[in-house]
Amino acid sequence: MKKFIIGLIVGIILTSAGMAAGADDPVKIVLNGKEVQPDTPPQIIDGRTFVPLRFVAESLGINVSWDADNRTVVMTTPENMPPYSLVSYQKLNDEYGYVILGEVKNESNKTYSEGKVKAEVLDAGGNVIEKLTATLPPGITPGETAYFKMRSDSDKRNLVSSVKFNFSAKGEIDITPAEVSFSEVRFSRDPDIYNDFIYVTGEIERADDDLKREYNHPLVQAALFDKNGKLVNFGERDVDDFEQRKYGEFKITLEKGPDYASYKLKFFSD
C-alpha cells in the first residue's frame, strides 16, 4: 500500500487504459469512498490522467512545499514532520539586549508533556551569532497554539537579521483537553517600581464537570498584541492551587514594552 501511494504521488500520472468514458466526461477523484473536489480538476492529456500533486498529497496527510531556489517539490510524510510549526515571531530590543516572542502550533496528532524551541540567530550574512532555547508548555493539543519567549542580554541586538527555528517534543501523553474559563482579569502597574511592570491578575474556573481530573503543572499564558495583531509582550505563570480544584487564581508579571491593543489568555496542563 505504501509503495502504491508513493508511486501515485511521485508520478501523479494515471494511465487511462481501459477507460470507457469519453474524453469530455469529467474525471472524478474518490478518496476512501467519497468523491473529493480539487481546486484544479484532473485532466486527460494524450491518454493519460493528470491529478494535482498538492491536492492528492495533502489528502493523504503529506505536507507539500516548494523549494524555489532548487526548483524542487518537497514532500514530507506525517511521521517525519516536526511536532510544531512557527506561526509568527517578533524581535524586540530593550535596554539590556533583545527578546524574541513567538507563537507555535502543534501540527502533529499527538500531545506532549515537554516541548522545546531552539533558535539560531543570524546576521545579514547568514552567520550564526547566538543560539537560544525556550521551553513550551505541556499539553498543547493537536491544532492548538502556544507562545514562547527567548531573551538575550548580549550586545548583538543590532546585528540580528533573521532567526532560524527548530522544534522538538517528547513525553507523549493521553490528555483530556482542559476546559476552563477566565474571569475578573485585570491589568495594573505599580508606579513606585522603576521598571514599571504590568501585572495581569485574574481568576480561572474549570468549565468541565470532571472534578476527578487532576491537572499536573497547570499554567496560564498571557500574550499582548498591538493594533496590527503583532505579539508585543508575553508572560506565563504556574497556577499552583489548581491541580485538583474548581477555581484558581493567577498573577503574571510582564515587563513593560510597546503599547498593546488586545490580549489572549491560554491554559495548559499535562
Side-chain angles (χ1 to χ4, degrees):
M1 183 61 182
K2 190 171 183 180
K3 290 182 178 179
F4 168 76
I5 292 175
I6 293 175
L8 173 64
I9 296 298
V10 174
I12 290 303
I13 300 176
L14 309 177
T15 59
S16 57
M19 296 178 62
D24 294 333
D25 293 335
V27 178
K28 299 179 181 179
I29 299 180
V30 178
L31 178 64
N32 294 329
K34 295 183 179 180
E35 184 177 349
V36 290
Q37 299 288 342
D39 294 335
T40 302
Q43 299 182 44
I44 298 177
I45 302 175
D46 295 333
R48 294 175 178 267
T49 302
F50 291 80
V51 181
L53 172 64
R54 180 181 293 276
F55 173 79
V56 176
E58 291 181 348
S59 296
L60 296 170
I62 297 173
N63 182 72
V64 180
S65 61
W66 170 247
D67 183 350
D69 293 337
N70 298 305
R71 298 188 57 80
T72 302
V73 176
V74 180
M75 295 180 290
T76 309
T77 55
E79 63 270 18
N80 292 314
M81 285 288 292
Y84 306 102
S85 67
L86 183 71
V87 177
S88 64
Y89 81 93
Q90 179 89 329
K91 176 230 174 197
L92 300 174
N93 291 337
D94 59 28
E95 59 182 316
Y96 302 108
Y98 64 92
V99 173
I100 294 175
L101 305 174
E103 182 178 9
V104 299
K105 180 179 180 180
N106 185 346
E107 295 285 7
S108 72
N109 58 0
K110 301 176 182 179
T111 303
Y112 300 95
S113 62
E114 183 179 338
K116 292 284 187 183
V117 183
K118 293 185 178 180
E120 292 184 341
V121 183
L122 310 176
D123 63 15
N127 303 304
V128 177
I129 57 177
E130 283 194 282
K131 294 183 178 181
L132 305 174
T133 303
T135 300
L136 294 173
I140 307 174
T141 53
E144 176 66 285
T145 65
Y147 307 102
F148 67 87
K149 176 191 287 185
M150 296 173 167
R151 169 174 291 285
S152 171
D153 295 329
S154 75
D155 58 356
K156 300 178 181 180
R157 59 186 179 183
N158 294 327
L159 299 177
V160 178
S161 176
S162 61
V163 185
K164 183 178 180 181
F165 295 94
N166 183 46
F167 305 97
S168 63
K170 64 180 181 180
E172 183 181 351
I173 54 178
D174 181 15
I175 185 172
T176 302
E179 295 183 16
V180 301
S181 60
F182 295 95
S183 59
E184 298 298 329
V185 179
R186 298 172 294 276
F187 287 78
S188 61
R189 66 185 184 88
D190 188 340
D192 296 327
I193 297 181
Y194 172 74
N195 287 328
D196 199 12
F197 292 103
I198 301 174
Y199 300 105
V200 186
T201 58
E203 299 174 358
I204 187 172
E205 179 180 0
R206 294 179 61 160
D208 63 301
D209 296 324
D210 185 12
L211 296 182
K212 294 183 179 179
R213 167 78 164 89
E214 182 174 354
Y215 294 103
N216 299 311
H217 311 103
L219 178 143
V220 172
Q221 290 190 332
L224 277 56
F225 303 85
D226 65 15
K227 62 181 180 180
N228 296 317
K230 291 185 178 181
L231 183 63
V232 294
N233 215 332
F234 162 77
E236 60 187 15
R237 176 63 64 86
D238 293 333
V239 189
D240 298 329
D241 59 349
F242 196 68
E243 292 183 359
Q244 197 170 4
R245 294 180 58 183
K246 182 67 176 176
Y247 303 95
E249 296 180 346
F250 64 91
K251 180 178 181 180
I252 300 173
T253 303
L254 303 177
E255 298 176 19
K256 184 178 180 180
D259 293 335
Y260 66 93
S262 62
Y263 70 90
K264 291 181 182 179
L265 297 175
K266 289 178 177 286
F267 174 80
F268 298 98
S269 176
D270 57 358

